[in-house]
Amino acid sequence: KSGLDPGGAWHAWGMACLKAGNLISAREKFNRCLKPPIDLNQLNHGSRLVQDVIQYLESTVKPILIADDDYFATLRELEATLRTRSLSLEMMCEGKIQHNSYYQECLFYLHSYGTNLAIISFYMRHDCMREALLHLLNKESPSEVFIEGVFIPSYESGKLHLLENLLETIDPGLESWGVYLIATCKYLQKKNYYHILYELQQFMKDHIRAAMTCIRFFTHGTKSYSELGGKQTWLLKIKDHLKVYLQEVSRSSGRKKMACTFRKKMSATDVSRHINTVDLQMEVTKFLHRCESSGTSQMTGSSLPTLFGNNNMKMDVACKVMLEGKNVEEGFGIAFRVLQDFQLEATDVYSKVAKQLVKQHKYNEIRQLLKCVSESGVAAKNDRDNIILNCLNEFKNIPAEDLDNLIQDMDSDENKIQAYVMCSKLRSAYLVSVRQEKSRAVQLVQHVWQLAESSGDDVVSAICAQWL
C-alpha cells in the first residue's frame, strides 16, 4: 500500500527461514528478491544479498551425511538435498559438498544468483579445485576469472603444484588452458613475480619464454661483473632451455604440426644463434669477473652492459673487454668475436676504445690496438687511419712524441697530412705533402700554405711559397 520496495522484507524473511532450518521456504522468499547477474563473468561475487546468504550457510555447516545417517535428517532437509542435487554441477567433489545439504544449498544459490567467480571461489574455499577448473572450462570464463578465482588463491595457499597437476590431468597437452596460462604469465610479469612466473613457464614447457626469464634473473639488479660471475648458473639454465626446445622441435618435425599452440616459437637457426650468444656471454663474464677480481678493471660507475641488450650495449661489451684486461691484446680476441657474431661497426668500437685509452694516457696501448686490428685479417684499408683520426680530437692532451708516433703509424700519406693539419703541425704536413706526385703535391702544399697564412705561421708560409 505504501509503495515501498518489498525486497528487503523478502530477504529478511528468507534469512529467518534459513535460520529456522526451513530451506524450502527460504528459497521461495529469496526467489522474490534475488536476481541473477546480468554478466556472469563480472569480476565480483554477485550482489551483497546473495553473499549474505552464502556466508550464513557456510557458517552453519551441519554434518548431515546422506549415507548411513539418513535417519538423522529432517524430512525438510532431505527434500532440500534431493532438489539441490539435481541443480549442482555434473562433477561433484568427494568431500563435504556432496553430502551436506547446507553446502548443496550454497550451490543452488550460487548457480541461480551468483557469478562464475563466486562459484569458482566457493569450490576453491572448500578444496574442490577440480570442480572449479571444470566449471571455468564449461562456462568458457575469461582469463581474469581464472587468475582471480583459481590462480591467486592457489599460490597464496601454497597449492600451485596441486593446481599444475590438475591442469595436466584434465588436459595433458595443456592446450585448453593456453589462454589462461599466457594471461597468468602476463599478470605475474606485471606484478614482478618472476620466480612464480619462471616456475609456471617450466610447467608449461614454454622453454623460449623460460629462457627469457632466466636472462632477466642473470642481468637484473647487478652492478658489476663480479656479481654476474656469481650468477652464471642462470646462463647454464638459459642454454638448457634452448637445447631442450631444439630437441623438441627436431622430434616434432616429423610429426604433424599442431594448428595452434600457446608456447612461444622460434626458428632452429635463431635458437642456435642465441645459444652462441650465451656461450660468448659466459666467456665475457669469466674474463671481466677475473679482471675485476684482480684489480685491472679501470671502468667504474657506468651501467653494466651484457650481450642480451641492443647493439649499442653489445658494442659497450666489446669496448669493456678490450679496456679492462691487463692490455688491449688480452681481451681483443673475445671483443673481435662479439663484433663478428653481431656484425657490429668495428671501426666505431675501436675508435671508442682509442679515445678511452687517450683519456687513460695509454698511448702505447693505442698502437697495440692498431696492431691487433691489422692482424685480425678483416680490417678495411683505412680502418687503422680512421681510428687514429677519431682519437686526435683529444690531441692537446697527447704528448708531442706520442702524437708523432701515432701519426707515423698511419698507412696513407693523405691521412697523415690530414692528421698533422688537425694537430696544427703544418711543417710536418708540408714535409709529407712535397713527397707526393707533382700535381697532387702542388694542391697539398697550396692548402698548407693557405692554412699557414690564415694562422699567421710565417715560417711555414715562406717555405710553402718558396717551393711553389
Side-chain angles (χ1 to χ4, degrees), residues 37-317:
I38 298 169
D39 178 12
L40 290 173
N41 287 319
Q42 60 195 41
L43 289 179
N44 58 49
H45 292 258
S47 71
R48 182 69 253 175
L49 300 181
V50 177
Q51 291 180 52
D52 289 344
V53 172
I54 301 303
Q55 190 176 353
Y56 174 76
L57 287 169
E58 284 187 304
S59 66
T60 318
V61 176
K62 295 190 177 181
I64 298 167
L65 300 177
I66 314 300
D68 300 327
D69 298 332
D70 276 334
Y71 49 88
F72 286 121
T74 64
L75 289 174
R76 194 179 294 114
E77 286 173 328
L78 184 56
E79 186 183 354
T81 302
L82 291 172
R83 280 197 181 189
T84 51
R85 260 197 182 164
S86 63
L87 292 163
S88 59
L89 278 183
E90 299 87 354
M91 297 295 296
M92 297 303 300
C93 68
E94 297 299 321
K96 293 178 181 177
I97 293 184
Q98 189 175 9
H99 301 301
N100 187 278
S101 59
Y102 276 73
Y103 279 113
Q104 291 287 345
E105 203 67 12
C106 285
L107 284 175
F108 166 77
Y109 286 105
L110 286 168
H111 282 288
S112 301
Y113 310 108
T115 61
N116 285 326
L117 180 58
I119 296 166
I120 287 167
S121 298
F122 174 79
Y123 281 131
M124 292 295 289
R125 282 199 301 276
H126 298 289
D127 296 324
C128 293
M129 193 184 288
R130 181 183 174 83
E131 284 64 41
L133 291 170
L134 290 171
H135 181 86
L136 185 90
L137 276 186
N138 188 36
K139 300 297 180 183
E140 297 180 350
S141 295
S143 304
E144 292 81 5
V145 174
F146 173 77
I147 295 169
E148 192 76 27
V150 179
F151 187 80
I152 293 175
S154 295
Y155 81 70
E156 284 183 345
S157 59
K159 294 179 181 176
L160 195 52
H161 288 298
L162 174 62
L163 171 61
E164 291 172 351
N165 290 338
L166 281 171
L167 293 175
E168 211 163 27
T169 303
I170 294 169
D171 179 2
L174 300 178
E175 290 297 326
S176 308
W177 307 112
V179 175
Y180 298 117
L181 290 170
I182 292 297
T184 304
C185 287
K186 288 177 180 175
Y187 164 81
L188 292 170
Q189 192 169 2
K190 190 177 177 182
K191 289 282 188 179
N192 289 328
Y193 295 163
Y194 283 96
H195 289 281
I196 302 173
L197 172 64
Y198 181 53
E199 185 179 337
L200 188 62
Q201 286 168 337
Q202 289 180 92
F203 162 71
M204 293 160 62
K205 296 182 175 61
D206 194 351
H207 294 292
I208 299 298
R209 289 193 178 97
M212 291 162 69
T213 304
C214 289
I215 290 173
R216 201 256 180 198
F217 283 132
F218 175 71
T219 57
H220 184 69
T222 46
K223 296 177 181 177
S224 69
Y225 262 89
S226 295
E227 288 180 43
L228 281 184
K231 296 170 80 173
Q232 290 184 73
T233 49
W234 288 114
L235 292 176
L236 296 173
K237 287 183 179 181
I238 296 167
K239 202 170 168 182
D240 288 343
H241 283 300
L242 296 176
K243 282 183 174 178
V244 171
Y245 178 80
L246 277 182
Q247 290 167 4
E248 290 182 355
V249 168
S250 62
R251 277 202 302 268
S252 62
S253 59
R255 300 198 298 262
K256 186 179 177 182
K257 290 186 179 179
M258 296 187 72
C260 178
T261 181
F262 57 90
R263 297 176 182 92
K264 189 171 179 66
K265 293 185 180 71
M266 191 176 281
S267 70
T269 308
D270 284 344
V271 174
S272 299
R273 188 164 47 80
H274 287 307
I275 290 173
N276 289 336
T277 299
V278 173
D279 286 335
L280 194 50
Q281 179 62 55
M282 218 173 264
E283 216 172 317
V284 167
T285 304
K286 286 175 183 174
F287 178 79
L288 291 176
H289 174 55
R290 191 173 71 245
C291 291
E292 287 184 5
S293 301
S294 63
T296 59
S297 173
Q298 297 289 320
M299 297 175 73
T300 54
S302 57
S303 60
L304 196 66
T306 69
L307 299 178
F308 300 119
N310 57 24
N311 277 357
N312 285 335
M313 189 177 276
K314 292 181 178 89
M315 289 169 78
D316 288 344
V317 170

Side-chain angles (χ1 to χ4, degrees), residues 300-468:
T300 54
S302 57
S303 60
L304 196 66
T306 69
L307 299 178
F308 300 119
N310 57 24
N311 277 357
N312 285 335
M313 189 177 276
K314 292 181 178 89
M315 289 169 78
D316 288 344
V317 170
C319 291
K320 195 173 178 69
V321 167
M322 282 189 274
L323 289 166
E324 298 217 359
K326 284 180 285 193
N327 51 50
V328 168
E329 190 175 11
E330 187 184 22
F332 186 84
I334 298 174
F336 183 73
R337 278 178 55 203
V338 171
L339 297 175
Q340 290 293 295
D341 284 7
F342 299 106
Q343 298 181 333
L344 303 174
E345 288 293 334
T347 310
D348 291 348
V349 174
Y350 298 144
S351 298
K352 193 173 178 182
V353 171
K355 286 177 181 177
Q356 282 293 328
L357 291 171
V358 169
K359 287 180 181 176
Q360 296 172 14
H361 310 296
K362 294 182 177 179
Y363 309 111
N364 287 333
E365 286 295 305
I366 298 174
R367 301 182 78 183
Q368 183 69 55
L369 171 65
L370 297 172
K371 179 173 175 287
C372 290
V373 171
S374 297
E375 292 172 354
S376 69
V378 295
K381 184 181 178 183
N382 280 328
D383 276 358
R384 283 165 44 94
D385 290 5
N386 288 333
I387 293 165
I388 295 171
L389 286 170
N390 282 329
C391 71
L392 288 182
N393 293 324
E394 307 288 334
F395 77 91
K396 290 178 182 175
N397 301 324
I398 305 175
E401 185 181 345
D402 293 304
L403 188 60
D404 281 333
N405 288 337
L406 284 175
I407 296 174
Q408 287 300 321
D409 282 339
M410 292 177 125
D411 299 316
S412 158
D413 280 348
E414 295 266 350
N415 288 331
K416 284 181 183 177
I417 294 166
Q418 185 184 342
Y420 283 129
V421 168
M422 279 177 67
C423 302
S424 302
K425 291 180 172 289
L426 297 181
R427 187 171 186 279
S428 299
Y430 161 78
L431 291 173
V432 178
S433 298
V434 296
R435 294 204 302 263
Q436 309 310 304
E437 185 268 326
K438 194 75 177 277
S439 61
R440 181 61 182 151
V442 170
Q443 292 175 343
L444 292 169
V445 172
Q446 280 180 332
H447 178 59
V448 174
W449 182 35
Q450 287 170 0
L451 291 172
E453 286 283 303
S454 60
S455 65
D457 191 336
D458 297 334
V459 175
V460 174
S461 175
I463 295 172
C464 290
Q466 185 179 356
W467 186 89
L468 290 167

